[in-house]
Amino acid sequence: MTVMQTTPLAAGQTAPDHICSAPPRRHPRPEGQDRYTISEVVAFTGLTAHTLRWYERIGLMPHIDRSHTGQRRYRNRDLDWLDFVTKLRLTGMPVADMVRYAELVREGESTYLDRQALLESTRRDVLARIGELRDTLAVLDRKISFYAMEGNTR
């Protein structure tokens, strides 16, 4: 079985909600709203204001609108992009590759093949890490079983 395959559930069985699910958002976005301050984005994403400013400075975030007083005003599309960037960080993708991906997105549709190649490379890295984690989990399970059996013999 590959990571992309699933095992069907038995009749009446429900999938646990923690398997392969994204963590819940810290705070749901208000319905119908499309302008957010940096502090609201911090609450929605769990990222720090420093990180958000840094993402903007290094070119990872698209242009962020500003209010008439110069305050950042994030939009839903910015929050969607941050969700994706957060997923890329979880894959272990280097920041330089994330910035390159953002540059490719800004360049338009002509970069689809380059974006696909970058994501496929990241996917291969993720699959390798999953394999390493499965091996590590097997070692932990063996040790836990050993200690459980030893504890029962005393």
Side-chain angles (χ1 to χ4, degrees), residues 118-133:
L118 187 54
L119 293 177
E120 286 175 348
S121 172
T122 301
R123 184 178 189 280
R124 285 189 296 274
D125 293 344
V126 168
L127 289 172
R129 283 186 40 225
I130 289 171
E132 291 168 353
L133 288 171

Side-chain angles (χ1 to χ4, degrees), residues 6-26:
T6 59
T7 305
L9 295 171
Q13 192 179 20
T14 59
D17 59 5
H18 66 281
I19 302 290
C20 297
S21 65
R25 283 197 173 104
R26 294 180 185 269

Side-chain angles (χ1 to χ4, degrees), residues 14-150:
T14 59
D17 59 5
H18 66 281
I19 302 290
C20 297
S21 65
R25 283 197 173 104
R26 294 180 185 269
H27 299 287
R29 296 181 200 171
E31 194 68 35
Q33 185 174 333
D34 192 28
R35 296 264 185 217
Y36 309 95
T37 64
I38 197 166
S39 60
E40 290 172 317
V41 173
V42 164
F44 296 150
T45 65
L47 298 170
T48 66
H50 174 79
T51 298
L52 293 169
R53 289 186 200 102
W54 180 65
Y55 280 0
E56 190 176 351
R57 201 169 45 251
I58 65 173
L60 188 53
M61 285 294 299
H63 172 74
I64 303 299
D65 293 333
R66 301 281 181 140
S67 71
H68 68 282
T69 61
Q71 292 180 316
R72 287 170 177 84
R73 290 288 183 235
Y74 293 84
R75 303 191 65 137
N76 285 323
R77 72 177 194 281
D78 300 321
L79 297 182
D80 292 342
W81 176 255
L82 283 170
D83 284 343
F84 181 64
V85 166
T86 301
K87 298 287 188 281
L88 292 180
R89 282 298 291 148
L90 288 173
T91 70
M93 179 186 272
V95 172
D97 287 348
M98 293 168 53
V99 170
R100 176 67 183 138
Y101 185 86
E103 290 168 351
L104 291 169
V105 168
R106 285 190 291 272
E107 289 175 27
E109 292 180 10
S110 64
T111 64
Y112 278 2
L113 291 177
D114 292 330
R115 288 188 247 173
Q116 179 183 355
L118 187 54
L119 293 177
E120 286 175 348
S121 172
T122 301
R123 184 178 189 280
R124 285 189 296 274
D125 293 344
V126 168
L127 289 172
R129 283 186 40 225
I130 289 171
E132 291 168 353
L133 288 171
R134 286 183 193 275
D135 291 345
T136 302
L137 183 60
V139 169
L140 290 173
D141 287 344
R142 283 194 301 275
K143 285 292 190 183
I144 291 168
S145 293
F146 170 79
Y147 291 125
M149 288 182 359
E150 286 296 313

